[in-house]
Amino acid sequence: MVPLLLLPLLWGGSLQEDPGYELRVQDLVMVQEGLCVQVPCSFSYPWSSWSPPGMPYMNWFRVGDSSYRRYPVATNDPTKRVKTETQGRFLLVGNSRDNNCSLRIREARRSDQGAYEFQVDTGDYRKYTYEDKRLTLQVTALTQKPDIHFLEPLKSGHPTNLTCSLPGSCEEGRSLAFFSWVGGALDSLDPGTLRSSVLTLTPRPRDHGSNLTCQVQLSGTQGTVERTIRLNVSYAPQNLTISNCSDVAALGTLQNTSSILIREGQALRLRCDADSNPPAELSWFRGSPALNATPICKSPILDLPQVGAEEEGDLTCQAQNWLGFQHISLHLSVLYAPRLLPPSCSWEGEGLHCHCSSRAQPAPTLRWRLGEGLLEGNHSNASWTVTSSSAGPWANSSLSLSGPLDSSLRLSCEARNAHWSQSAAVLLLPGKCAFPAGAVPAALGGAGAMALVSLTLCLLFFCMVPGKSPGQTAPRLRRPLRGTPLPQGSNRSSITPPSAFRR
Ligand SMILES: *[C@@H]1O[C@H](CO)[C@@H](O)[C@H](O)[C@H]1NC(C)=O
Ligand SMILES: *[C@@H]1O[C@H](CO)[C@@H](O)[C@H](O)[C@H]1NC(C)=O
Ligand SMILES: *[C@@H]1O[C@H](CO)[C@@H](O)[C@H](O)[C@H]1NC(C)=O
Ligand SMILES: *[C@@H]1O[C@H](CO)[C@@H](O)[C@H](O)[C@H]1NC(C)=O
Ligand SMILES: *[C@@H]1O[C@H](CO)[C@@H](O)[C@H](O)[C@H]1NC(C)=O
Ligand SMILES: *[C@@H]1O[C@H](CO)[C@@H](O)[C@H](O)[C@H]1NC(C)=O
Ligand SMILES: *[C@@H]1O[C@H](CO)[C@@H](O)[C@H](O)[C@H]1NC(C)=O
Ligand SMILES: *[C@@H]1O[C@H](CO)[C@@H](O)[C@H](O)[C@H]1NC(C)=O
Ligand SMILES: *[C@@H]1O[C@H](CO)[C@@H](O)[C@H](O)[C@H]1NC(C)=O
Ligand SMILES: *[C@@H]1O[C@H](CO)[C@@H](O)[C@H](O)[C@H]1NC(C)=O
């Protein structure tokens, strides 16, 4: 039955000049040990009038081994057995109807290295081997590094999936890659989860800058390949600190909500630092920053060359990046000398009422000097009553005098605090309206570096300003104050110091 003419083909004899037979495949294919490769291939053969279903069969043989041409390494012929070494690893993925002889090689082994040739079996004992076009497979050592993929950026506190993959490894079928993750960021993770190609990591700020390694070992190969990345973890500002820049030692930082004391007129230089990634924008506010508050300074360093008494209050540093913000505040207490409001006096009924107010830091105490006598705190007897109160930096005191008053009575109000003292005097001098000029500073003596300064601000000569109803109060003042009752309706007149003494 077999025509003799076909015998050379039956023996697989290759005839370079065979018309119509052509194989298109690359000469050399390199693959790393353990990896996968697909070799594109197509072939043509002379047209045959009859071909059973499923035909032609395609076979790939390994050149030169003992079972050469007996067992293919890959075939689509269901009646043929393939070599056990390549079974399941060398796969014909092309369709013979499309003349597609593409070959897929999985988990390449060093022993796969060699030459391969392709044979087409069109039935009727007609087989043709393309001997003049061989495929050489070279298997090299595994050097391919794995890749680590994840959605950037890594945000502190947000679970993120990191996927480790080895490019070129075979995705389908059995999992023949063994993964392991190593890194400081994994200390709190269940070790069991570190054996998967996908790692779910919830990074912490302290993981920023740490190394994370994915190691891959492929079955049937020696050694592992690995990839190390440096984690870039974004986190909101934390660990805000304020330090005193004038402090050359710059060791101590100031506690949140602590108070700092500074004398009026002195310089203050504060520095705010925050730990954050990306770096935070630092700004300073007075008080606590409300929404849309305007910062007094948009830099880490706050420079107040001369602190004024009115700057007393909270200073807040805010650190902000796109992940959030944090605040830290200090209370600035400014020490300043007593500010004495000019005392005011008025007649009420038979008595003289005087009021004195002062503000200072620390809060001042007030006392009245009446002739030779000193009146402090709360005091009361038949001829005078002193009521003092204080709140915050203020101290207020009122003095009520009744009964006969000396015509040359000298009355003054004095304010003092731990560092300074000041007095303002009211002199009751009937018949005259004059005042001596001059402030008299004098050292009171002090403790430590704090100089105590006594400042007799001004001596105010007390003089009645004729009011809306002249002739009622003014004449009475020109007489010695004897406590004569005042007529109804004019029982109060305010006595103001000359404006030249207002400060
Ligand atoms: C041959 O088959 C493979 C696997 O199905 C396919 O990827 C490739 O594109 C085919 N080649 C051609 C030329 O059609
Ligand atoms: C991580 O992947 C797992 C499945 O692999 C999924 O269930 C989970 O939602 C993913 N987590 C995130 C944060 O994407
Ligand atoms: C992180 O890895 C790099 C190299 O990948 C190495 O030079 C560096 O020392 C490692 N850092 C730490 C903290 O292990
Ligand atoms: C870290 O990530 C931030 C984005 O969150 C980016 O701006 C920055 O350049 C990254 N740093 C490094 C060293 O890659
Ligand atoms: C920074 O703050 C975090 C929590 O806010 C804390 O766990 C960590 O110890 C702080 N680091 C330093 C150096 O103070
Ligand atoms: C800042 O440091 C300087 C120098 O040590 C010190 O004199 C000053 O009192 C400090 N200021 C505050 C507000 O602590
Ligand atoms: C400082 O204290 C305030 C109020 O208690 C708080 O809101 C803020 O977070 C604190 N800041 C720091 C850095 O601890
Ligand atoms: C004086 O008395 C008033 C109430 O009459 C009181 O509020 C104030 O604290 C007292 N002042 C002193 C110094 O005792
Ligand atoms: C009121 O007290 C002061 C001193 O405490 C004293 O000098 C004065 O005489 C007293 N006046 C009367 C009327 O008791
Ligand atoms: C003291 O007087 C000042 C100015 O008149 C006033 O603002 C303050 O509230 C007064 N304080 C007290 C405790 O009476």
Side-chain angles (χ1 to χ4, degrees):
M1 276 293 289
V2 182
L4 282 176
L5 262 177
L6 293 175
L7 273 177
L9 299 179
L10 182 65
W11 302 120
S14 161
L15 302 172
Q16 175 80 45
E17 60 273 22
D18 281 346
Y21 288 98
E22 199 191 340
L23 182 69
R24 283 168 297 273
V25 70
Q26 62 206 86
D27 295 324
L28 177 68
V29 168
M30 309 237 286
V31 61
Q32 290 183 15
E33 198 180 355
L35 299 186
C36 241
V37 69
Q38 185 161 322
V39 188
C41 173
S42 69
F43 64 99
S44 51
Y45 60 99
W47 182 81
S48 152
S49 59
W50 180 84
S51 182
M55 297 288 261
Y57 292 138
M58 305 182 290
N59 300 301
W60 278 99
F61 290 104
R62 180 165 182 162
V63 177
D65 59 8
S66 54
S67 55
Y68 182 44
R69 301 260 170 103
R70 269 187 67 205
Y71 300 112
V73 292
T75 183
N76 65 339
D77 182 347
T79 65
K80 270 204 162 72
R81 269 182 59 205
V82 295
K83 285 174 65 127
T84 47
E85 302 95 288
T86 59
Q87 190 171 15
R89 294 194 304 113
F90 280 55
L91 305 163
L92 259 172
V93 290
N95 190 328
S96 64
R97 291 270 168 209
D98 306 330
N99 291 5
N100 186 336
C101 47
S102 298
L103 181 68
R104 183 158 171 76
I105 300 166
R106 294 167 43 101
E107 296 137 37
R109 297 176 187 167
R110 291 291 186 126
S111 55
D112 295 334
Q113 187 154 294
Y116 294 84
E117 50 186 33
F118 181 69
Q119 183 191 67
V120 64
D121 177 356
T122 52
D124 253 357
Y125 304 102
R126 283 175 296 168
K127 294 181 182 172
Y128 182 81
T129 305
Y130 299 76
E131 282 187 333
D132 56 312
K133 184 77 177 163
R134 286 178 169 169
L135 166 69
T136 302
L137 179 68
Q138 207 169 332
V139 180
T140 60
L142 179 63
T143 54
Q144 175 67 52
K145 284 185 161 201
D147 284 340
I148 298 176
H149 293 282
F150 56 91
L151 218 58
E152 286 188 85
L154 284 179
K155 283 188 277 179
S156 167
H158 288 74
T160 305
N161 283 342
L162 292 95
T163 305
C164 183
S165 61
L166 190 60
S169 67
C170 319
E171 308 302 333
E172 77 278 9
R174 306 160 279 169
S175 168
L176 290 150
F178 301 102
F179 292 89
S180 55
W181 296 87
V182 181
L186 312 175
D187 55 4
S188 61
L189 293 183
D190 170 12
T193 65
L194 306 180
R195 304 246 159 256
S196 155
S197 62
V198 180
L199 174 76
T200 304
L201 178 69
T202 305
R204 301 156 296 187
R206 68 180 161 104
D207 299 328
H208 176 62
S210 71
N211 282 346
L212 180 70
T213 302
C214 170
Q215 294 178 335
V216 182
Q217 188 184 5
L218 294 173
S219 76
T221 63
Q222 304 298 313
T224 56
V225 280
E226 62 177 48
R227 166 83 63 187
T228 297
I229 58 168
R230 210 184 154 102
L231 295 181
N232 181 1
V233 181
S234 299
Y235 54 96
Q238 59 167 15
N239 302 352
L240 252 73
T241 54
I242 296 180
S243 47
N244 175 359
C245 281
S246 320
D247 200 342
V248 264
L251 287 172
T253 53
L254 304 161
Q255 294 300 305
N256 190 15
T257 71
S258 66
S259 270
I260 52 172
L261 284 176
I262 188 162
R263 283 170 81 110
E264 187 180 17
Q266 283 189 329
L268 182 64
R269 193 167 230 252
L270 296 174
R271 198 187 129 114
C272 186
D273 291 290
D275 176 17
S276 72
N277 182 40
E281 255 178 51
L282 294 158
S283 39
W284 286 90
F285 295 85
R286 284 201 195 282
S288 38
L291 274 176
N292 302 328
T294 314
I296 47 171
C297 154
K298 282 184 132 178
S299 83
I301 293 187
L302 174 68
D303 223 342
L304 301 173
Q306 249 194 325
V307 176
E310 68 287 351
E311 292 182 82
E312 164 116 18
D314 286 344
L315 289 172
T316 299
C317 168
Q318 175 175 275
Q320 182 163 22
N321 67 10
W322 64 275
L323 289 129
F325 60 85
Q326 201 184 19
H327 293 145
I328 182 168
S329 295
L330 284 183
H331 185 78
L332 179 63
S333 293
V334 185
L335 301 178
Y336 58 94
R339 312 268 158 97
L340 201 53
L341 297 184
S344 64
C345 294
S346 64
W347 293 105
E348 275 179 34
E350 294 181 18
L352 180 67
H353 292 268
C354 291
H355 184 82
C356 183
S357 283
S358 176
R359 182 166 66 94
Q361 179 82 295
T365 52
L366 287 176
R367 59 185 190 176
W368 295 95
R369 192 178 288 277
L370 187 59
E372 293 305 305
L374 266 179
L375 303 169
E376 208 167 342
N378 286 341
H379 183 97
S380 184
N381 70 6
S383 45
W384 55 55
T385 303
V386 178
T387 309
S388 301
S389 64
S390 69
W394 281 101
N396 299 346
S397 184
S398 11
L399 169 70
S400 299
L401 295 174
S402 55
L405 294 178
D406 195 314
S407 63
S408 61
L409 184 68
R410 188 180 178 277
L411 178 66
S412 67
C413 172
E414 292 178 6
R416 53 197 288 150
N417 68 5
H419 310 289
W420 299 272
S421 118
Q422 260 179 3
S423 73
V426 180
L427 187 68
L428 297 167
L429 189 69
K432 278 195 190 159
C433 189
F435 45 86
V440 189
L444 284 184
M450 292 286 202
L452 300 183
V453 178
S454 164
L455 190 60
T456 302
L457 253 191
C458 43
L459 291 166
L460 298 175
F461 280 74
F462 188 86
C463 127
M464 286 303 270
V465 179
K468 291 262 153 94
S469 26
Q472 288 177 328
T473 53
R476 294 198 185 276
L477 200 64
R478 296 212 149 83
R479 294 179 8 235
L481 292 165
R482 295 270 172 226
T484 328
L486 289 168
Q488 280 289 100
S490 61
N491 59 351
R492 190 187 176 93
S493 64
S494 94
I495 301 155
T496 45
S499 61
F501 285 104
R502 292 171 183 255
R503 284 171 54 105

